[in-house]
Amino acid sequence: MSLETVWDQFMELLKSNPLITSVTKKKFTSLPFLYVQTKVSHVELENMLKSAAMTVMKGKRLTLEMAYVRKTEDTYIYRLRFLVPSEKMFCCGNGCMDCIRFKT
């Protein structure tokens, strides 16, 4: 499953939430920023974002990186990324101590 599919599912979950007026994803310098328009508090919105992210990440080897950027009127801006783990997935043949061959 590609990250675009995960993002699509995540955005659909947020758009279907009745407490969120609108949600938009914009990329600046290759980093995704989420613009969320809502009347709920900052803490409630973060909980909704984390809950939606956990739903789409379930069963996948992804982690969430989320950082609050700012608020303008009723729009909250977050830098949000789904990260793929950086552990080795194949043997490179260099005899590394953390080689995938040694994992059980």
Side-chain angles (χ1 to χ4, degrees):
M1 179 173 279
S2 72
L3 279 179
E4 282 305 314
T5 307
V6 171
W7 267 106
D8 291 341
Q9 292 174 352
F10 179 69
M11 294 298 284
E12 286 303 315
L13 271 176
L14 293 178
K15 288 177 183 177
S16 67
N17 190 325
L19 297 174
I20 296 177
T21 308
S22 72
V23 60
T24 309
K25 178 183 141 190
K26 296 180 183 180
K27 277 194 170 189
F28 296 104
T29 63
S30 297
L31 293 174
F33 288 85
L34 208 60
Y35 289 73
V36 184
Q37 193 172 21
T38 184
K39 298 289 185 194
V40 300
S41 71
H42 172 71
V43 175
E44 289 176 297
L45 178 59
E46 278 198 13
N47 289 336
M48 285 190 287
L49 292 174
K50 287 177 185 176
S51 175
M54 285 190 294
T55 302
V56 297
M57 291 186 325
K58 189 171 186 151
K60 300 170 188 67
R61 298 181 62 203
L62 296 173
T63 56
L64 176 70
E65 180 187 279
M66 183 172 72
Y68 172 77
V69 177
R70 69 179 179 273
K71 178 185 180 205
T72 58
E73 294 178 20
D74 62 345
T75 303
Y76 292 91
I77 303 170
Y78 286 89
R79 187 183 70 233
L80 195 135
R81 294 176 16 180
F82 293 102
L83 301 172
V84 179
S86 62
E87 70 182 47
K88 291 175 72 173
M89 302 298 283
F90 60 92
C91 175
C92 63
N94 291 331
C96 306
M97 295 302 292
D98 63 341
C99 185
I100 191 75
R101 295 179 297 144
F102 303 132
K103 294 204 177 184
T104 56

